[in-house]
Amino acid sequence: MTKEKGAYYITTPIYYPSANLHVGHTYCTVMADAMARFKRLQGYDVMFLTGTDEHGQKIQQIAEAAGVTPQEYVDRVVAGIRELWAVMEISYDDFIRTTEDRHKLRVQEIFRKIYEAGDIYRGVYEGWYCTPCESFWTDTQLRKNKCPDCGRDVVRAKEDAYFFKLSAYADRLLALFDEHPQFLEPETRRNEMTQFIRQGLEDLCISRSSFNWGIEVPIEDGQVIYVWLDALSNYITALGWPELGAGAAGAAGATDVKENHDKYDRYWPADVHLVGKEIVRFHSIIWPAMLMSLGYPLPKKVLGHGWLLLDGGKLSKSKLAEGGQGAKSRNIVDPVELIERYGVDALKYFLLREYTFGQDGQFTTEAMLKRVNGDLANDLGNLLSRATGMNDKYFGGAIGRPDAIFPDGPLASAGAIPDAAAIEDRELISLALGTATKVEDHMDRFEFNHALESIWELVSRSNKYIDETEPWVLAKDEDGRERLGQVLYTISESLRVVSILIQPFLVSSSTKIREQLGLGGETLRWEDSQIFGAEKTFRTSKGESLFPRIDIEKELAAIDEM
Ligand code: MSP
């Protein structure tokens, strides 16, 4: 396929492999995957990056408690994360681990460069440290003497350390938000960050000497780089940037370091860093300041999404540890379990359709099951089984394009629909032809829920079309046969359009629909969702139902019993 649309680089945060991921973590990755697939379908040359953030005191402590080395510990958890993404059909192009040589050597290079630019100095760190969040806080930042992010206890810490001159970048950061408001969205986050900077930025402690599970500071033994400088750098180290000094890779005995500047040249600056709201601060203040110091271009956009909440609080790994269920609310928060019970597409659809980007939302299994039954089983699944069932019954599955409605072949605009077409055909065809544009508009604004809503308008209209045209009545009489053929072709075409539109969101369902419609497995093209009457002849066959209906009460009771 030609990639005339250019490059598109999208990232997720790199996850802490301190424990298995819960459904809240999958939210961001599912959105990033849908966007990456959407852009690929449109012909963009997409780079979709995810990975794991493996250093820091917390991981070291957990590994020690588990009686294994930190490396052994993260290797095990990371293997599980990669398996999860495989099951969820997450189409990342690269998976970066911060323990890889290709990353470590470049982080040291980044440290060196910022030091040489005069933005790193040695000092004494004294302040409050939240171990679970790996965050340092000043007196004023604490909330009721606790970590302002997670509300847990903080400890007093004092040690020699390196500092990054973040304070020197306050004016340039304010100018960035002012001159390029699209750099940070939603607006509420931008306002928060502007206020945060105006309160006064302190220099940032970027090394520690009290633990050793980290990348060594390249200019002094006994210090390791503090996780955020390490972590944020992944977005460029994965692209093979910065270049390593001659022989650096060999000298360090690295085996996984490849000099590949093409990727940096092609994909940087990133089009979007998708991140949760609590780490917007790191991505919109520290990361741009680091890049300014390095003299590298800034990402085009940082987008902060909201949280999935359980019983009003943030979903957390400890709730996962309680056996995959949230307290007293009949909820499953382990994504593996949700997928085993309801399927990947059910989970993806729910995450993308239920929540509004940027806002928090409640997670409940019940809400998910309602969506699955309503939108997936009743609307989409039913449309497919009705269509293929009637095609089989009345025409042995062979449905040809009717000349009366398509005298000149496929239609590319509503204006081209012939006058001879019935009103309900006209309505359905024009809606189908216009849906792709609506989806594009919503996706431009990361409104996954509205994009799906638009597609489901077409699904519902198609079901309504069946009710209006009553194919079973037409079938009773030989005179109705021509019209019956027209009706069944129109429904099949509508399903073909739907199969393309949903592909970025629900990969397996798209494939299943296409199989039942008898369409080949060729690479899909987004443009083909903007024409109606593309298929000359369908050879459809009714297959398994896409989404079996769930007895919600029974299912919730069964979860209770677990
Ligand atoms: N390692 C850092 C990110 C470094 S990026 C250079 C980190 N890791 S994390 O595993 O704690 O969180 C990763 C992402 O998961 C964050 O964006 C966070 O917002 C998201 N989520 C964690 N719990 C979540 C919910 N309950 N709901 C939605 N997203 C959530 O932070």
Side-chain angles (χ1 to χ4, degrees):
M1 192 188 356
T2 52
K3 301 280 185 191
E4 74 274 7
K5 295 237 173 164
Y8 185 82
Y9 182 23
I10 181 166
T11 67
T12 71
I14 49 174
Y15 297 92
Y16 289 131
S18 51
N20 293 339
L21 302 186
H22 56 64
V23 67
H25 296 112
T26 69
Y27 175 52
C28 182
T29 300
V30 164
M31 287 192 285
D33 181 64
M35 187 54 86
R37 288 180 182 276
F38 175 70
K39 291 285 179 184
R40 282 191 205 109
L41 195 52
Q42 289 190 308
Y44 285 88
D45 169 13
V46 171
M47 167 77 187
F48 168 21
L49 177 70
T50 189
T52 40
D53 183 3
E54 307 185 9
H55 293 124
Q57 190 171 12
K58 187 179 173 191
I59 301 253
Q60 187 169 350
Q61 285 168 348
I62 295 175
E64 272 162 19
V68 293
T69 65
Q71 190 67 55
E72 284 167 342
Y73 184 83
V74 294
D75 284 351
R76 189 173 53 75
V77 180
V78 171
I81 293 175
R82 296 185 82 136
E83 232 169 84
L84 173 65
W85 295 154
V87 172
M88 294 188 74
E89 300 178 295
I90 300 301
S91 63
Y92 58 78
D93 297 291
D94 197 356
F95 187 104
I96 187 148
R97 300 184 56 180
T98 56
T99 49
E100 288 172 298
D101 285 337
R102 63 168 172 156
H103 176 76
K104 291 198 283 191
L105 292 172
R106 291 193 167 89
V107 167
Q108 290 182 324
E109 193 61 22
I110 287 168
F111 187 105
R112 216 177 270 123
K113 281 180 189 290
I114 299 179
Y115 181 73
E116 280 161 12
D119 279 337
I120 287 178
Y121 63 91
R122 201 171 188 284
V124 174
Y125 174 75
E126 197 176 353
W128 300 102
Y129 187 69
C130 174
T131 308
C133 294
E134 319 232 23
S135 296
F136 289 97
W137 302 103
T138 59
D139 289 326
T140 50
Q141 286 170 332
L142 293 184
R143 198 173 300 149
K144 294 189 183 147
N145 294 325
K146 307 267 184 192
C147 170
D149 268 357
C150 72
R152 282 179 275 210
D153 285 339
V154 287
V155 289
R156 195 76 188 150
K158 182 175 177 175
E159 60 189 48
D160 290 340
Y162 285 91
F163 288 81
F164 171 55
K165 279 192 198 164
L166 186 62
S167 57
Y169 287 91
D171 291 342
R172 286 178 66 183
L173 289 166
L174 286 174
L176 167 68
F177 295 159
D178 197 38
E179 288 159 23
H180 303 281
Q182 78 290 349
F183 171 78
L184 174 57
E185 286 175 350
E187 199 185 347
T188 47
R189 301 275 162 255
R190 189 162 66 243
N191 296 340
E192 277 168 26
M193 290 307 116
T194 309
Q195 226 180 333
F196 185 84
I197 299 170
R198 290 224 171 91
Q199 279 169 4
L201 281 185
E202 308 215 357
D203 288 346
L204 180 77
C205 181
I206 51 161
S207 78
R208 304 275 285 163
S209 58
S210 52
F211 63 89
N212 58 15
W213 180 238
I215 301 173
E216 286 160 18
V217 167
I219 55 170
E220 185 184 328
D221 289 344
Q223 292 266 352
V224 294
I225 294 172
Y226 157 64
V227 286
W228 280 97
L229 187 127
D230 169 357
L232 290 162
S233 301
N234 90 88
Y235 302 126
I236 55 173
T237 62
L239 302 178
W241 201 256
E243 289 175 292
L244 296 174
T255 53
D256 59 355
V257 176
K258 278 194 219 85
E259 286 296 322
N260 185 358
H261 317 146
D262 302 352
K263 278 196 178 168
Y264 176 82
D265 294 339
R266 178 124 189 91
Y267 298 113
W268 193 257
D271 289 84
V272 59
H273 292 315
L274 222 52
V275 301
K277 62 179 187 178
E278 85 283 20
I279 58 171
V280 160
R281 183 166 65 92
F282 302 98
H283 285 80
S284 63
I285 294 181
I286 300 174
W287 180 225
M290 278 171 62
L291 290 165
M292 285 172 186
S293 177
L294 289 161
Y296 300 159
L298 305 185
K300 292 178 204 160
K301 190 186 278 301
V302 173
L303 258 186
H305 64 76
W307 286 341
L308 264 55
L309 307 175
L310 191 65
D311 301 331
K314 189 184 172 207
L315 260 164
S316 70
K317 286 173 181 158
S318 56
K319 287 182 176 147
L320 190 63
E322 281 163 17
Q325 293 183 54
K328 63 181 172 12
S329 56
R330 303 204 283 187
N331 285 313
I332 300 176
V333 296
D334 178 356
V336 176
E337 180 140 16
L338 285 166
I339 292 165
E340 276 169 5
R341 295 178 89 89
Y342 318 117
V344 174
D345 281 3
L347 175 59
K348 283 184 170 176
Y349 180 81
F350 175 68
L351 293 174
L352 295 167
R353 175 66 185 82
E354 186 79 2
Y355 304 99
T356 302
F357 194 99
Q359 293 174 18
D360 291 349
Q362 285 297 328
F363 177 86
T364 69
T365 312
E366 184 174 4
M368 174 167 159
L369 299 182
K370 282 186 175 154
R371 283 268 175 219
V372 175
N373 270 357
D375 301 5
L376 297 178
N378 287 355
D379 295 348
L380 181 61
N382 210 16
L383 176 63
L384 180 68
S385 71
R386 286 171 102 185
T388 52
M390 291 190 293
N391 290 354
D392 277 353
K393 187 168 171 195
Y394 302 131
F395 290 94
I399 307 288
R401 183 169 59 207
D403 291 337
I405 307 180
F406 304 94
D408 306 316
L411 299 169
S413 75
I417 303 172
D419 294 341
I423 179 80
E424 57 270 17
D425 294 34
R426 185 176 290 283
E427 274 181 29
L428 177 59
I429 297 172
S430 21
L431 184 69
L433 285 169
T435 303
T437 314
K438 289 185 206 159
V439 174
E440 285 167 19
D441 290 346
H442 293 308
M443 290 300 273
D444 275 350
R445 294 189 293 273
F446 288 79
E447 295 165 351
F448 299 93
N449 56 344
H450 294 320
L452 287 171
E453 217 171 9
S454 299
I455 301 173
W456 256 254
E457 273 168 28
L458 177 58
V459 171
S460 301
R461 185 66 190 85
S462 305
N463 272 318
K464 186 169 161 232
Y465 176 87
I466 299 180
D467 301 339
E468 288 167 351
T469 53
E470 299 183 309
W472 48 91
V473 175
L474 295 171
K476 281 191 183 141
D477 178 345
E478 196 46 42
D479 290 351
R481 190 134 181 103
E482 190 189 344
R483 178 65 184 143
L484 179 63
Q486 286 176 1
V487 164
L488 295 185
Y489 178 83
T490 307
I491 300 163
S492 305
E493 259 298 293
S494 183
L495 268 163
R496 180 194 62 81
V497 171
V498 168
S499 77
I500 301 173
L501 296 173
I502 63 167
Q503 194 274 348
F505 313 96
L506 308 174
V507 192
S508 312
S509 301
S510 163
T511 308
K512 285 184 196 159
I513 294 173
R514 295 183 70 82
E515 278 166 7
Q516 294 195 25
L517 290 178
L519 301 170
E522 73 279 2
T523 315
L524 299 193
R525 298 184 317 170
W526 184 249
E527 307 88 273
D528 291 339
S529 67
Q530 281 152 306
I531 53 174
F532 204 94
E535 231 29 55
K536 244 183 136 173
T537 315
F538 285 97
R539 292 196 186 282
T540 72
S541 54
K542 190 168 157 82
E544 258 180 49
S545 86
L546 277 187
F547 297 95
R549 260 191 81 84
I550 299 164
D551 181 332
I552 298 182
E553 266 319 303
K554 244 185 164 166
E555 179 61 18
L556 292 176
I559 295 171
D560 253 354
E561 296 289 302
M562 290 194 320

